[in-house]
């Protein structure tokens, strides 16, 4: 990133566009003329990044059965995507500032298309993960640069807040349609077809961006290469340790070494950023208690939203034995309410400030999590949908305003850095949600299964065979006896319930943090 003098694309008086012809007034007029198209293109980009998540989660059961993937490796299929996004999203913001945000956004969409194509043709789980890694590169390039483009296009602070919440709501649309698209395709085709949706939507997004989006490049300053490398290593190593620790143990030699690498890189990153004249991230921003608190809230918002979505999809498909399409319709209650409330949150913030919606959303999300954790496989949808709707509304009150609150916690000249930081925090939270709650689900299920099998009077050698099959990920090849199926459903439900309770506790703790530390109104320069 550059210094404050060159990082002010979000201030009304500084909206330069390197590729725009004519004087500054002509450039601004051209930009205003493409505002609607720009918003549509950026929202479509956000949709792609989150469509990839829920489409993948919806196909996990079929992928596991087809490729015989063990439960611990299965966690890496969604986590590989979020690992790369979290690791590179901060660096991607810097590259956009240096080489052009529209250019990096377009490169990200292309990477999503290529990643989707690799997964669509994947013959083994290794190729699925490779495709997810490529798609993650695309997501990392899309998220911060789309947000920065909107910040440069919509310069009025209140209007920008509304646009950012619309951008966040678009991610909910991607989450909502993912299970429906996956379910419809899986009913008639193999799981590979699920990723065609990413390719099609990517092509449409590229076309719209090429037509209506103006290049945005605040400066051509020096690239902070040491900061970029150290920041990427610190985040990537930490995320890898979190994911792999769930499989090998968080104190195993390999994971412990990764923790040390992450800590060393983080210390080096802070020292480099404090000394350089053009930091990628001005770490002094974290002196603001409000900004630091918002980073935590942003991480927790995606921790719960992504993690709970994964838990609920697996619960519906495996504990309640629903098809992917039926699961998609049930999850539409959660995601649909999220989208509606997120669109309204932008105007709500103008009247209430940030504290009320953030704290209320976190508390309501905790209550919904605890309520869902009290339900079992036999609970009908009529008893579940109010809690699904409540969690969707609660998430919208946190996810969308948290992004706007991050930009409002700093001076306008620092909005570019803030957008990169909040995206990194959000994606780190997404990784934590999918990996930690997914790992908790797996470990609880495996630990609970022997007692469940014994309670249903499943004798040897069937009991040992079932436990071995679950560990190997090979339980879906043939019909199971009713006692075994009931035991598996109850064991998986125990894992889902454990994850939901943990999420509820995390949400409650973060609500206190938001009430105490988050600045309620935008920063006044």
């Amino acid at each position: 990133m550059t210094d404050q003098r060159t990082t002010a694309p979000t201030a009304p008086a500084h909206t330069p566009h390197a590729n725009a012809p004519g004087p500054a007034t002509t450039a601004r007029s051209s930009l205003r003329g493409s505002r609607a198209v720009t918003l549509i293109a950026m929202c479509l980009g956000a949709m792609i990044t989150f469509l990839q998540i829920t489409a993948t989660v919806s196909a996990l059961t079929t992928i596991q059965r087809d490729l015989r993937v063990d439960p611990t490796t299965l966690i890496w299929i969604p986590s590989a995507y979020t690992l790369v996004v979290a690791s590179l999203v901060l660096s991607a913001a810097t590259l956009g500032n240096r080489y052009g945000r529209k250019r990096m956004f377009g490169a990200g969409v292309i990477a999503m298309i290529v990643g989707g194509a690799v997964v669509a043709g994947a013959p083994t789980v290794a190729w699925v993960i490779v495709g997810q890694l490529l798609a993650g590169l695309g997501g990392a390039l899309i998220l911060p640069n789309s947000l920065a483009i909107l910040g440069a296009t919509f310069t009025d602070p209140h209007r920008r807040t509304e646009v950012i919440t619309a951008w966040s709501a678009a991610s909910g649309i991607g989450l909502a349609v993912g299970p429906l698209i996956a379910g419809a395709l899986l009913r008639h085709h193999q799981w590979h077809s699920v990723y065609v949706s990413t390719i099609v939507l990517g092509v449409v997004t590229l076309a719209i961006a090429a037509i209506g989006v103006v290049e945005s490049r605040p400066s051509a300053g020096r690239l902070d290469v040491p900061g970029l490398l150290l920041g990427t290593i610190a985040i990537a190593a930490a995320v890898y340790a979190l994911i792999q620790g769930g499989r090998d143990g968080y104190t195993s030699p390999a994971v412990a070494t990764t923790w040390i690498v992450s800590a060393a890189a983080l210390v080096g990153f802070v020292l480099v950023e404090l000394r350089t004249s053009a930091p990628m991230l001005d770490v002094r921003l974290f002196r603001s208690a409000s900004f630091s608190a918002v980073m935590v809230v942003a991480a927790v918002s995606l921790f719960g939203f992504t993690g709970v979505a994964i838990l609920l999809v697996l619960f519906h498909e495996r504990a309640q034995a629903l098809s992917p399409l039926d699961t998609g319709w049930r999850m539409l209650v959660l995601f649909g309410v999220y989208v509606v409330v997120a669109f309204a949150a932008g105007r709500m913030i103008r009247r209430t400030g940030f504290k009320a919606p953030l704290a209320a959303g976190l508390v309501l999300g905790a209550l919904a999590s605890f309520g869902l954790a009290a339900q079992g496989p036999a609970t009908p949808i009529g008893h579940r949908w109010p809690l699904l709707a409540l969690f969707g509304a609660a998430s919208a009150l946190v996810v969308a305003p948290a992004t706007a609150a991050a930009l409002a916690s700093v001076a306008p000249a620092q909005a570019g850095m803030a957008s990169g930081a909040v995206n990194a925090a959000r994606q780190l939270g997404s990784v934590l949600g999918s990996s930690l709650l997914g790992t908790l689900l797996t470990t609880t299920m495996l630990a609970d299964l022997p007692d469940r099998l014994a309670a249903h009077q499943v004798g040897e050698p069937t009991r040992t065979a079932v436990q071995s099959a679950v560990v190997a990920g090979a339980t879906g090849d043939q019909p199971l006896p009713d006692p075994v199926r009931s035991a598996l459903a109850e064991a998986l439900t125990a894992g889902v319930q454990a994850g939901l309770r943990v999420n509820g506790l995390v949400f409650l703790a973060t609500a206190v943090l938001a009430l105490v530390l988050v600045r309620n109104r935008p920063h006044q320069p």
Side-chain angles (χ1 to χ4, degrees):
M1 290 293 297
T2 56
D3 60 22
Q4 289 189 8
R5 186 176 64 257
T6 57
T7 55
T10 56
H14 301 281
T15 316
H17 301 280
N19 293 345
T25 54
T26 303
R28 286 194 294 269
S29 177
S30 175
L31 184 58
R32 283 194 296 269
S34 63
R35 281 184 173 184
V37 179
T38 299
L39 179 58
I40 291 172
M42 298 306 104
C43 287
L44 286 175
M47 281 180 57
I48 300 174
T49 62
F50 285 87
L51 171 67
Q52 184 80 8
I53 295 174
T54 51
T56 297
V57 171
S58 299
L60 277 181
T61 300
T62 308
I63 293 174
Q64 182 181 28
R65 182 173 60 246
D66 188 31
L67 300 181
R68 293 178 174 269
V69 185
D70 64 89
T72 50
T73 301
L74 192 70
I75 294 298
W76 270 105
I77 294 177
S79 296
Y81 173 78
T82 47
L83 166 65
V84 178
V85 174
S87 303
L88 299 180
V89 69
L90 192 58
S91 301
T94 301
L95 294 174
N97 290 338
R98 177 64 177 82
Y99 298 109
R101 292 160 175 169
K102 178 183 176 182
R103 183 176 298 169
M104 291 298 102
F105 175 83
V109 176
I110 292 173
M112 289 289 300
I113 294 172
V114 173
V118 170
V119 180
T124 65
V125 67
W127 279 105
V128 172
I129 293 175
V130 168
Q132 288 286 84
L133 292 173
L134 289 172
L137 172 62
L141 289 168
I142 289 170
L143 287 169
N145 289 298
S146 60
L147 186 57
I149 288 171
L150 291 177
T153 304
F154 298 88
T155 55
D156 175 73
H158 293 299
R159 178 59 176 156
R160 187 191 304 129
T161 297
E162 294 174 0
V163 167
I164 290 173
T165 53
W167 176 85
S168 298
S171 66
I173 297 176
L175 290 169
V177 300
L180 293 176
I181 293 174
L185 291 172
L186 288 171
R187 173 166 289 189
H188 303 288
H189 307 283
Q190 293 184 325
W191 61 264
H192 304 79
S193 64
V194 169
Y195 295 90
V196 174
S197 57
T198 299
I199 299 172
V200 173
L201 187 57
V203 171
V204 172
T205 304
L206 273 180
I208 295 176
I211 293 171
V213 178
V214 177
E215 183 60 278
S216 171
R217 182 187 302 168
S219 75
R222 180 173 59 86
L223 190 64
D224 178 19
V225 176
L228 189 149
L229 293 176
L230 288 170
T232 301
I233 292 171
I235 297 175
V239 172
Y240 177 85
L242 286 168
I243 298 172
Q244 195 64 20
R247 176 176 183 175
D248 300 336
Y250 291 104
T251 59
S252 65
V255 174
T257 300
T258 309
W259 284 122
I260 294 172
V261 170
S262 176
L266 179 61
V267 171
F269 175 78
V270 172
L271 293 176
V272 166
E273 298 306 280
L274 286 173
R275 295 177 180 178
T276 184
S277 60
M280 179 177 78
L281 173 64
D282 187 353
V283 294
R284 296 176 184 85
L285 290 175
F286 289 93
R287 292 177 179 173
S288 166
S290 177
F291 182 79
S292 299
V294 170
M295 292 301 102
V296 175
V297 172
V300 169
S301 69
L302 264 291
F303 172 90
F305 198 37
T306 304
V308 169
I310 290 175
L311 292 178
L312 293 178
V313 167
L314 294 177
F315 171 80
H316 287 133
E317 290 189 0
R318 299 187 183 185
Q320 294 194 320
L322 298 175
S323 69
L325 184 58
D326 289 335
T327 297
W329 284 116
R330 281 160 176 75
M331 293 300 293
L332 186 61
V333 175
L334 189 159
F335 295 132
V337 172
Y338 169 87
V339 171
V340 173
V341 176
F343 273 117
R347 295 188 179 275
M348 183 190 308
I349 292 170
R350 297 180 66 169
R351 295 190 295 271
T352 67
F354 295 109
K355 282 181 181 287
L358 291 177
L362 289 165
V363 171
L364 292 175
L367 294 177
S369 297
F370 292 137
L372 289 168
Q375 298 182 345
T379 304
I381 186 60
H383 294 167
R384 293 181 63 80
W385 76 260
L387 291 172
L388 293 174
L390 179 61
F391 189 80
S395 297
L397 291 175
V398 181
V399 176
T403 303
L407 302 187
S409 295
V410 301
Q414 298 167 314
M417 289 183 182
S419 67
V422 72
N423 268 302
R426 282 159 52 95
Q427 296 310 312
L428 182 61
S430 181
V431 171
L432 292 173
S434 61
S435 59
L436 294 188
L437 294 185
T439 299
L440 180 61
L441 164 64
T442 300
T443 55
T444 303
M445 177 183 177
L446 293 176
D448 194 64
L449 184 57
D451 291 339
R452 300 290 181 178
L453 290 170
H456 284 276
Q457 299 180 343
V458 178
E460 295 289 356
T462 303
R463 188 185 307 175
T464 300
V466 170
Q467 293 175 223
S468 299
V470 170
V471 172
T475 59
D477 294 329
Q478 54 188 357
L480 298 173
D482 288 341
V484 173
R485 187 167 57 251
S486 298
L488 287 171
E490 292 172 4
L492 185 136
T493 299
V496 170
Q497 291 171 338
L500 289 170
R501 285 192 290 267
V502 167
N503 182 72
L505 293 173
V506 170
F507 268 39
L508 285 179
T510 309
V512 176
L513 188 71
L515 278 174
V516 174
L517 297 179
V518 172
R519 179 181 288 125
N520 200 42
R521 296 292 177 182
H523 178 90
Q524 296 298 324

